[in-house]
């Protein structure tokens, strides 16, 4: 090889020869991929309730055909708003009225508390909604027994539930200004009706602010102590809470019990909740404690729950009050117990009972046939005090086991699977909120914070030029795949510190720590009090309250603003690669997502014009975007000058050799 070719090779080392695109991609994204894998594992393997073997509850007397069932309703997530026609809600309340139930349970989100239909819209106390709720109760459920508690929508922007600007206490049938003189009276309250003890829970810390904050219950040791005290007073009880049991987290009572642990108390028989908006009610078994019914959201499903207790057996049915098919869902089977509703408080071992149906049809139906494992005809027995018609057929079971029956007839079709025996294993359903997923989500939040700290630290931690040379095809003596995958944060730190000026690195580092020490998100003042969120807390009225949505806002900021900016800047050296272009696409896709998050979620607590000045989702992305192009322009000019200089040196050396 002559001297001239050696010089050309030496000079060509200043520009990439053959970039290993896959290796480059992994060096840029492997730390994010690792975090995503952790989150996906939480999605694929959600938390489940423990399957438990239940033993049938004993009863001193045998089945009594003359006993009438107790009937009550369960309504949740009505979300009454003045923006909708009142006829929509009138139909719901008329349907509940026509059932002539002994009482009605309402488990929160009674009103919507928004003044607009579409986002951005600020959630706060809206007296127009509360007036409609009061009108509906006074018009259609007047003199009816109502047991209601509040949901997160009912609590938007409340400094204290005892203040006059809180609408719930002015319209509630369970709480009012006279019986709620102290905060403890609001947090936990017991109501007894028809021999059933209902404990109402309002798990909030005050002040409560605008949404999306408040999506999760905020329990305190005091609330849990009050709850345990109430349960210990009673022989048995039912729990009313807007939030499903699985939404409660780690706070413990003085006895060291979490809310979930308390719900496993044998004294807790049934739990009625809502919040998650299922189209069909959901059932959750809490081991030997309460059987939970998560009610449908009448807002979207046009349905609610019909609960019956017949000869000590509780059965939950769903009423579709807005159905085009005439007379559908006017027949409800109240015995036997559905197999998925078997719980320790149920009686399911008695063999000589009845198949029972109640009907709200106007006419008596003499053609209800029973098919399946038992065959026969349902007979009309009598009209109950509430106007429902009772039909029955003897159910004589010879041996323990699972059975299926179908009741078919004009305007009626019911299929039910049930079990008769001394014991049955039930549960193992997915939790309403997977704790495993959220634990892994928080792990991923900690990891991305740690990775980004390493990446944006304005000091070169370790010189990894040899890996970048290998990626560029300049050093093929060894293979560095393991280093590329597991040293991604250090590689990005090296690239940023060698390709960008110091002022940019300092600004980038400041923007990273900004959300850890300074306000992420200001929200609209509440009764004159200004508040904001930071790290994993909200601050308002000289109080600091843990709030999970502050964590989410932080995660959005790191994933949607800091990470894509870091990736673009770190890949300046690799402008000839598709990875460089991909990083820019990822950057602007992330910015679009941040804009959507700003409008959808930040817009629930901040007026529209203020969203344009959001520090983390608008101001900082714009500044970083401008700086990226300034640094890119300077980096390109620097490289062009370097190439020109190397080219001039090469030509001079070449001329010297030619002369020689």
């Amino acid at each position: 090889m002559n001297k001239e070719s050696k010089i050309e090779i030496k000079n060509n080392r200043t520009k990439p020869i053959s970039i290993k695109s896959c290796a480059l991609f992994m060096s840029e994204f492997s730390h994010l991929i690792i975090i995503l894998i952790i989150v996906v594992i939480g999605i694929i393997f959600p938390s489940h309730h423990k399957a438990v073997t239940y033993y049938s509850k004993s009863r001193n007397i045998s089945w009594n055909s003359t006993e009438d069932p107790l009937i009550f309703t369960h309504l949740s997530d009505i979300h009454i708003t003045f923006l909708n026609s009142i006829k929509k809600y009138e139909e719901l309340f008329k349907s509940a009225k026509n059932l002539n139930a002994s009482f009605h349970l309402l488990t929160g989100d009674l009103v919507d508390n928004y003044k607009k239909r579409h986002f951005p819209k600020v959630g706060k106390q809206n007296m127009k909604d509360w007036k409609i709720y009061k009108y509906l109760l006074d018009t259609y459920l007047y003199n009816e027994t109502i047991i209601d508690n509040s949901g997160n929508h009912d609590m938007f922007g409340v400094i204290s539930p005892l203040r006059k600007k809180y609408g719930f206490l002015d319209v509630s049938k369970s709480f009012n200004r006279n019986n709620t003189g102290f905060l403890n009276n609001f947090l936990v309250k017991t109501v007894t009706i028809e021999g059933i003890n209902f404990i109402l829970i309002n798990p909030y810390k005050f002040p409560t602010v605008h949404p999306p904050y408040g999506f999760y219950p905020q329990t305190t040791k005091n609330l849990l102590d009050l709850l345990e005290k109430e349960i210990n007073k009673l022989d048995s009880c039912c729990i009313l809470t807007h939030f499903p049991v699985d939404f409660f987290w780690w706070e413990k009572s003085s006895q060291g019990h979490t809310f979930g642990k308390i719900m496993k108390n044998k004294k807790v028989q049934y739990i009625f909740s809502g919040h998650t908006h299922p189209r069909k009610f959901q059932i959750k078994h809490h081991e030997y404690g309460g059987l939970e019914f998560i009610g449908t959201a009448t807002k979207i499903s046009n349905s609610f729950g019909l609960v019956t207790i017949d000869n000590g057996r509780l059965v939950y049915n769903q009423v579709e009050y807005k159905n085009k098919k005439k007379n559908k869902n006017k027949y409800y089977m109240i015995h036997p117990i559905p197999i998925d509703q078997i719980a320790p408080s149920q009686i399911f071992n008695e063999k000589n009972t009845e198949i029972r149906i109640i009907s709200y049809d106007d006419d008596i139906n003499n053609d209800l046939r029973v098919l399946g494992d038992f065959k026969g005809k349902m007979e009309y027995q009598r009209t109950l005090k509430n106007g429902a018609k009772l039909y029955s057929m003897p159910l004589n079971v010879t041996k323990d086991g699972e059975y299926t029956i179908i009741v078919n007839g004009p305007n009626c079709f019911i299929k039910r699977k049930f079990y008769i025996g001394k014991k049955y294993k039930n549960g193992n359903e997915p939790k309403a909120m997977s704790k495993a997923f959220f634990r892994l989500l928080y792990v991923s939040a900690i990891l991305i914070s740690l990775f980004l700290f390493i990446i944006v630290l304005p000091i070169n931690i370790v010189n990894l030029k040899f890996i970048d040379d290998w990626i560029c095809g300049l050093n093929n003596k060894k293979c560095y795949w393991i280093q590329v995958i597991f040293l991604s944060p250090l590689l990005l730190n090296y690239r940023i510190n060698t390709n960008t000026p110091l002022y940019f690195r300092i600004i980038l580092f400041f923007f990273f720590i900004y959300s850890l020490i300074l306000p992420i998100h200001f929200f609209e003042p509440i009764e004159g009090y200004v508040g904001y969120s930071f790290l994993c807390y909200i601050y308002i009225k000289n109080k600091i309250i843990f709030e999970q949505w502050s964590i989410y806002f932080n995660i959005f900021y790191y994933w949607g603003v800091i990470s894509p900016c870091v990736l673009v800047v770190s890949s300046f050296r690799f402008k000839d690669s598709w990875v460089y272009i991909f990083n820019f696409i990822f950057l602007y896709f992330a910015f679009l997502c941040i804009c959507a998050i700003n409008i959808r979620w930040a817009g629930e607590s901040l007026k529209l014009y203020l969203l344009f000045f959001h520090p983390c989702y608008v101001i900082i992305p714009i500044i970083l975007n401008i700086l990226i192009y300034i640094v890119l322009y300077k980096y390109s000019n620097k490289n062009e000058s370097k190439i020109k200089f190397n080219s001039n040196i090469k030509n001079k050396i070449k001329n010297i050799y030619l002369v020689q």
Side-chain angles (χ1 to χ4, degrees):
M1 184 181 290
N2 57 37
K3 293 181 179 180
E4 182 178 338
S5 61
K6 287 181 180 179
I7 292 168
E8 287 182 5
I9 291 173
K10 184 176 180 181
N11 286 297
N12 281 336
R13 289 174 65 86
T14 60
K15 61 188 281 188
I17 296 174
S18 178
I19 295 175
K20 297 178 178 66
S21 296
C22 184
L24 175 58
F25 179 83
M26 292 304 297
S27 70
E28 296 272 295
F29 284 90
S30 62
H31 68 289
L32 296 180
I33 293 171
I34 290 170
I35 293 171
L36 282 174
I37 289 172
I38 293 172
V39 175
V40 169
I41 288 172
I43 296 172
I44 296 174
F45 303 103
S47 302
H48 282 71
H49 287 281
K50 185 179 178 181
V52 175
T53 299
Y54 295 120
Y55 293 86
S56 177
K57 186 179 178 182
S58 61
R59 196 167 188 247
N60 295 328
I61 57 174
S62 300
W63 180 270
N64 184 1
S65 298
T66 64
E67 184 175 320
D68 288 348
L70 173 67
I71 301 171
F72 59 95
T73 66
H74 175 210
L75 290 75
S76 190
D77 298 88
I78 307 171
H79 290 273
I80 292 169
T81 172
F82 75 97
L83 298 170
N84 289 337
S85 170
I86 197 171
K87 291 181 180 179
K88 176 180 179 180
Y89 309 113
E90 287 178 330
E91 192 170 356
L92 165 64
F93 281 81
K94 282 180 184 177
S95 299
K97 170 69 175 176
N98 291 338
L99 294 175
N100 294 316
S102 296
F103 54 91
H104 307 273
L105 307 179
L106 281 72
T107 51
D109 276 4
L110 309 171
V111 299
D112 209 37
N113 271 334
Y114 286 111
K115 292 186 178 181
K116 289 170 58 181
R117 288 188 184 276
H118 306 292
F119 294 101
K121 55 181 182 180
V122 178
K124 56 184 176 180
Q125 293 294 302
N126 186 350
M127 295 306 156
K128 290 182 181 179
D129 292 354
W130 288 116
K131 287 179 181 178
I132 296 173
Y133 174 69
K134 185 176 188 304
Y135 163 79
L136 292 167
L137 288 184
D138 293 344
T139 303
Y140 297 101
L141 297 180
Y142 182 70
N143 284 336
E144 303 249 344
T145 302
I146 308 293
I147 304 174
D148 54 2
N149 65 350
S150 63
N152 57 304
H153 275 252
D154 306 320
M155 300 301 299
F156 290 166
V158 178
I159 293 295
S160 167
L162 307 180
R163 295 168 78 102
K164 291 183 179 180
K165 292 187 178 182
Y166 176 44
F168 178 71
L169 287 188
D170 296 323
V171 299
S172 170
K173 298 299 182 181
S174 300
F175 301 87
N176 56 56
R177 306 248 174 228
N178 294 324
N179 66 16
T180 316
F182 300 95
L183 180 59
N184 285 354
N185 303 140
F186 179 73
L187 297 178
V188 177
K189 179 184 179 71
T190 300
V191 175
T192 302
I193 184 162
E194 298 288 346
I196 305 173
N197 302 307
F198 291 98
I199 300 179
L200 285 61
I201 302 171
N202 290 299
Y204 307 100
K205 292 179 183 178
F206 296 95
T208 62
V209 298
H210 309 292
Y213 306 107
F215 184 76
Y216 300 95
Q218 296 174 319
T219 50
T220 61
K221 180 181 289 188
N222 175 51
L223 183 146
L224 296 178
D225 287 345
L226 291 170
L227 177 58
E228 284 197 303
K229 185 179 178 180
E230 287 296 309
I231 292 173
N232 291 333
K233 287 181 184 177
L234 307 169
D235 294 329
S236 63
C237 64
C238 296
I239 304 293
L240 256 69
T241 168
H242 176 66
F243 302 95
V245 175
D246 298 329
F247 271 66
F248 290 78
W249 279 82
W250 49 75
E251 190 69 46
K252 293 183 179 180
S253 67
S254 298
Q255 301 298 318
H257 299 151
T258 63
F259 185 84
K261 180 72 173 178
I262 294 171
M263 292 301 102
K264 294 175 183 177
N265 189 316
K266 292 182 179 180
K267 289 186 176 183
V268 179
Q269 294 186 322
Y270 301 101
I271 303 159
F272 298 92
S273 62
H275 188 54
T276 57
H277 293 196
R279 291 189 175 273
K280 184 182 184 304
F281 72 90
Q282 295 179 349
I283 298 169
K284 308 294 177 185
H285 293 79
H286 298 284
E287 296 186 23
Y288 294 105
L291 176 65
E292 182 178 10
F293 298 99
I294 303 176
T296 59
T298 58
K299 172 185 178 181
I300 59 174
S301 68
N302 297 320
S303 65
F304 58 91
L306 176 67
V307 190
T308 58
I309 301 178
D310 190 7
N311 279 266
R313 286 89 161 162
L314 183 143
V315 173
Y316 195 106
N317 283 285
Q318 186 163 318
V319 178
E320 295 182 15
Y321 68 89
K322 200 172 183 180
N323 199 298
K324 295 180 180 178
K325 294 183 179 180
K326 189 178 179 181
N327 290 331
K328 185 179 179 182
N329 271 350
K330 287 193 174 183
Y331 293 82
Y332 306 96
M333 187 179 292
I334 63 174
H335 191 267
I337 303 165
I339 199 166
D340 59 349
Q341 296 185 26
I342 288 177
S345 53
Q346 296 279 37
I347 304 162
F348 53 89
N349 67 336
E350 197 171 349
K351 291 183 168 64
N352 298 316
T353 58
E354 293 176 328
I355 300 171
R356 275 190 161 188
I357 286 178
I358 57 172
S359 166
Y360 287 92
D361 209 343
D362 295 331
D363 301 322
I364 295 173
N365 193 336
N366 292 314
D367 195 19
L368 293 175
R369 303 287 175 178
V370 178
L371 305 171
D373 293 327
F374 299 88
K375 294 177 174 59
K377 183 180 179 182
M378 301 290 294
E379 298 290 343
Y380 167 74
Q381 297 299 321
R382 60 188 178 274
T383 299
L384 305 177
K385 291 180 182 179
N386 72 337
K389 296 172 178 62
L390 177 66
Y391 298 85
S392 71
M393 186 192 95
L395 180 62
N396 299 314
V397 179
T398 56
K399 60 180 181 179
D400 294 353
E402 295 183 10
Y403 300 94
T404 301
I405 53 174
I406 297 171
V407 178
N408 197 12
N411 306 318
C412 175
F413 180 84
I414 302 172
K415 183 178 180 180
R416 176 159 298 175
K417 189 176 182 180
F418 65 97
Y419 176 82
I420 301 295
K422 293 181 180 179
K423 61 181 181 179
Y424 186 79
K425 193 170 186 178
N426 220 336
N428 199 38
E429 59 273 325
K431 291 189 175 183
M433 186 187 73
S434 173
K435 298 288 176 64
F437 167 74
F438 280 92
R439 288 191 184 100
L440 291 176
L441 181 65
Y442 294 150
V443 168
S444 70
I446 293 171
L447 282 178
I448 193 171
S449 301
L450 177 62
F451 289 159
L452 285 176
F453 175 79
I454 293 171
I455 293 168
V456 302
L457 196 66
I459 301 171
N460 189 2
I461 299 173
V462 59
N463 189 339
L464 296 176
K465 183 177 181 298
F466 65 95
I467 296 179
D468 273 0
D469 287 346
W470 173 74
I471 290 173
C472 293
L474 300 176
N475 177 13
N476 293 315
K477 293 180 180 179
K478 291 184 178 180
C479 184
Y480 295 104
W481 279 104
I482 294 176
Q483 292 88 335
V484 160
I485 293 172
F486 293 103
L487 297 181
S488 173
L490 292 172
L491 267 168
L492 297 179
N493 169 268
Y494 164 75
R495 289 169 188 167
I496 291 173
N497 279 282
T498 53
N499 294 335
T500 59
L502 179 61
Y503 72 85
F504 176 81
R505 303 199 303 269
I506 293 173
I507 292 172
L508 185 62
F509 184 74
F510 171 75
F511 285 158
F512 163 73
I513 62 172
Y514 176 93
S515 66
L516 301 178
I517 59 176
L518 294 172
I520 306 171
H521 172 63
F522 291 92
F523 42 80
E524 187 177 329
I526 301 169
E527 296 186 31
Y529 294 99
V530 177
Y532 57 85
S533 65
F534 68 100
L535 194 56
C536 55
Y537 302 97
I538 55 172
Y539 170 85
I540 186 171
K541 200 186 174 186
N542 297 323
K543 290 185 179 179
I544 296 175
I545 301 171
F546 175 82
E547 172 55 59
Q548 286 172 265
W549 259 95
S550 296
I551 299 175
Y552 301 157
F553 278 134
N554 219 326
I555 292 173
F556 295 150
Y557 175 63
Y558 281 166
W559 274 92
V561 178
I562 301 299
S563 287
C565 289
V566 161
L567 293 172
V568 166
V569 174
S570 68
S571 61
F572 279 175
R573 183 182 176 187
F574 309 97
K575 288 194 290 182
D576 295 332
S577 171
W578 62 266
V579 177
Y580 175 75
I581 299 171
F582 180 84
N583 285 346
F584 265 100
I585 294 172
F586 178 61
L587 171 70
Y588 290 110
F589 174 76
F591 279 4
L592 285 175
C593 291
I594 282 297
C595 289
I597 289 169
N598 193 32
I599 293 170
R600 170 60 181 86
W601 283 305
E604 289 187 89
S605 53
L606 202 61
K607 290 182 179 178
L608 177 61
Y609 72 92
L610 292 174
L611 291 178
F612 292 102
F613 301 96
H614 195 291
C616 289
Y617 296 162
V618 176
I619 303 299
I620 291 176
I622 289 174
I623 293 173
L624 283 176
N625 198 52
I626 293 171
L627 287 175
I628 283 171
Y629 281 99
I630 291 173
V631 172
L632 178 60
Y633 174 76
K634 290 186 176 181
Y635 178 82
S636 299
N637 286 344
K638 180 182 176 182
N639 271 4
E640 285 178 12
S641 300
K642 188 175 180 180
I643 291 169
K644 281 184 180 180
F645 176 78
N646 288 336
S647 179
N648 290 335
I649 294 294
K650 174 186 171 181
N651 290 332
K652 288 179 180 179
I653 294 173
K654 184 177 179 180
N655 290 334
I656 291 170
Y657 274 89
L658 288 174
V659 169
Q660 290 177 350

